[in-house]
Amino acid sequence: MKRIIATLLSLAMLLTVMVAPVSAEAADADLIVVGAGGAGLSAAIAAVEAGAQKVIILEKTAKTGGALNFTSGSMSAAGTIIQKEEGIEDSVESYVADIINNGNDFGGKPDKALIEVYANNATEVFDWLYENGIKDAAWRGPKAVFAPEHALYSVARTYKPSPTDKSYKSAAHQVLDKLIAAEERIEVITLTDAKELIANEKGQIIGVKAVGPEGEVTYTSTKGVIVCTGGYSSNSKLMGQYAPEGEYYLAGGAPGADGYGIYMMQKVGAGVTGMDCIPTFPMGMISRTDPTKGQIASTYTWKAGAITVNKNGERFCNETEDVVSIREVALEKQPEAVLYDIYTDKILADLNAAGGAVFMNYYFYEGGAGDHVMYKSDSIEGLAAEIGVPAENLVKTVADYNAAVDAGVDTAFGRKLDGTDGNYNLAINKIEGDMFYAIRLHALCVMTLGGVTANENMQVLDETNNVIPGLYAAGECVGGIWGKFVSGGTGVMGPIVFGKIAAKHAMTNEMGEGYRVHAALDLLDASLFEKDVVVEEKFDMTKTLKDGEYEATVDGQSGPMTVKVVIAEGKIADVVVVSHNETPGISDAPLSSVPAAIKAGNTATVDTVAGATLTSNRIMDAVALCLEQAAQ
């Protein structure tokens, strides 16, 4: 049995803006921050440093961090303490030039003025983070390095600290959380989803209407609102509005990055820019349970001779191109943004011998995390049938490539076939052998670069570049800063730097008056934020249940979870999580709310908690097992 759960964002359908009076005595806080990612956390800290007596952070998921929970946390800045210690000469001017050069690729239009503001502040902010805990992080080798996952800087200015607390992915997140926890003037309210901005009679944005565990709540401020809600890398519908195959991109970033914050600001007039700047990785492994989600998991088999084909069974790029962005953009243009790595046993053996099969051996083997995207056959024709591409096309593609290997020249895409490029040609092989393999991968989006327009103070601008009084934004929800691609470390440092800038300006400047609050002319359609999800019923509640107490155990995050269900008068009377090994912080909300929802609805299938889907589902699975016992 299946049902459709439609999360219709009813408040999102309202284009009228709430107008409310506010005074310093009546306001809930000096400043409201929406979103507890890097931008929101740094903004709250900076607001207190600038004199705020109360700052409220609203976070719609169960924990802080936002995108910092999904990144290794690389950082960058020029002229830092680290560079001085390691004798590296650098300058802000060089940093700016490198960022702009990278962002210019493929028609990108980086904003030099905003990049200069960022770079001129990044050094001080990095050194502040360093003194507050980054220096005590785990480091391997030199602290200032070149980062090959992005276009290389002209000098070593990327920093890769590892958190000492392994519940964090990013050392910066650990430091920011520590600073937040030590400041009693900052209140973080989780599981609270901002829906609408509030303006007063002067046209100033002074609050937020939100929905939390207890229902709708309104928060007001005296100094305005800073929106730090992230981008839209988890909204396939929205990406599809701006990229030809965007609806097929896998989401690999924060689950809360649905772009709603951008829409919320548009409803009070915010202009948008750079919405088509949606960088991807050509190595997305699709989730087993959610066809819209994915993670980075390349095979790198092409380093030893494999080829990459699209859904038509045709090659579409130089697989060993060392400018990664060229391969990324090439995949974005393919049908459904899907590729297949085609390889053989010989290719895999040579990749292993050269030490290049780390990803391959971690994910792609029978019983491995990636076995659901693996295919094999004893013929190319059979492999084509397995992966669903035209056999005649794949046969011709393989034949043409093998001929190119024999000739030593790839006239189609310019791939080097002479073994001279050690990084990307670990071995030269033809696609031939007794067994043929394919791995299906997708374009993966972990961040977006479009969003609202803002000035150098991070004040949000309307469509005609007027400042919207009291409204600020920082982080991924601001568009047009970086161009088409971000440079190494700016994805972490940018939000932190701009969050501090926004808060400092908000606290030290008076809001303007007389703005006419209105919806932007190019307002996004509300339907882009409706989530229609097909959900399998965990248990058929039409069955008769026998009164009693039942326990069931399921696999958990770091060990088993045991749940007890009490049936009274044929209905669910109580649900108790007896024991578990879930991640502290992330699991707190579902461990409390999911059992309550199951009891209240007398059903094993309820909505999951944003950011804690796995824990939510484990509880429901265990309850379903208990109900199966009660139905016997």
Side-chain angles (χ1 to χ4, degrees), residues 61-64 69-70 165-169 173 177 555-561 577 579-592 609-616 618-619:
T61 68
K63 65 174 296 185
T64 66
N69 293 303
F70 300 87
D165 181 342
K166 296 309 176 184
S167 66
Y168 290 92
K169 285 203 68 176
H173 183 195
D177 260 6
D555 291 336
Q557 178 69 28
S558 301
M561 172 190 287
V577 178
S579 62
H580 68 89
N581 293 276
E582 302 299 284
T583 303
I586 295 177
S587 65
D588 294 351
L591 288 171
S592 172
V609 174
T613 302
L614 294 177
T615 298
S616 302
R618 290 177 188 124
I619 297 170

Side-chain angles (χ1 to χ4, degrees), residues 28-289:
D28 297 291
D30 296 300
L31 198 62
I32 305 295
V33 178
V34 185
L41 297 176
S42 71
I45 295 165
V48 168
E49 291 173 345
Q53 295 304 303
K54 181 62 177 296
V55 179
I56 292 175
I57 306 177
L58 305 179
E59 169 56 42
K60 76 177 185 178
T61 68
K63 65 174 296 185
T64 66
L68 294 178
N69 293 303
F70 300 87
T71 175
S72 61
S74 292
M75 310 163 76
S76 63
T80 63
I81 290 175
I82 288 175
Q83 287 179 315
K84 292 172 183 176
E85 289 177 348
E86 297 184 349
I88 299 171
E89 293 187 9
D90 199 1
S91 69
V92 169
E93 292 76 18
S94 171
Y95 190 27
V96 169
D98 284 350
I99 293 172
I100 290 176
N101 182 61
N102 189 28
N104 275 329
D105 280 354
F106 295 96
K109 297 178 181 179
D111 188 314
K112 183 179 179 182
L114 286 176
I115 290 171
E116 287 178 340
V117 168
Y118 159 74
N120 279 304
N121 284 273
T123 307
E124 179 183 348
V125 173
F126 179 84
D127 288 351
W128 168 73
L129 290 167
Y130 189 78
E131 293 297 344
N132 278 285
I134 293 294
K135 66 181 178 182
D136 300 319
W139 298 85
R140 294 180 182 178
K143 294 180 179 179
V145 299
F146 290 98
E149 65 268 24
H150 293 280
L152 298 181
Y153 285 122
S154 54
V155 299
R157 64 167 72 97
T158 300
Y159 318 102
K160 293 178 171 290
S162 296
T164 53
D165 181 342
K166 296 309 176 184
S167 66
Y168 290 92
K169 285 203 68 176
S170 161
H173 183 195
Q174 182 180 352
V175 170
L176 292 170
D177 260 6
K178 180 192 75 172
L179 294 171
I180 291 287
E183 183 48 72
E184 63 181 14
R185 288 171 289 181
I186 299 173
E187 181 181 6
V188 182
I189 304 175
T190 58
L191 296 172
T192 300
D193 196 0
K195 295 298 185 183
E196 191 172 350
L197 294 168
I198 301 170
N200 62 15
E201 66 280 358
K202 298 177 181 179
Q204 300 166 331
I205 306 303
I206 48 82
V208 177
K209 185 186 294 184
V211 176
E214 305 303 320
E216 185 177 291
V217 187
T218 296
Y219 299 92
T220 57
S221 70
T222 57
K223 287 293 188 177
V225 177
I226 305 178
V227 178
C228 308
T229 51
Y232 42 99
S233 61
S234 286
N235 190 332
S236 299
K237 291 181 183 179
L238 185 49
M239 288 192 288
Q241 293 289 298
Y242 295 98
E245 302 294 323
E247 64 183 296
Y248 298 106
Y249 295 172
L250 297 184
D258 62 1
Y260 187 83
I262 297 170
Y263 172 68
M264 184 171 66
M265 288 186 280
Q266 276 196 297
K267 291 203 292 180
V268 296
V272 295
T273 184
M275 295 293 286
D276 60 341
C277 293
I278 308 174
T280 66
F281 290 103
M283 52 182 74
M285 182 178 74
I286 197 167
S287 165
R288 289 180 185 271
T289 58

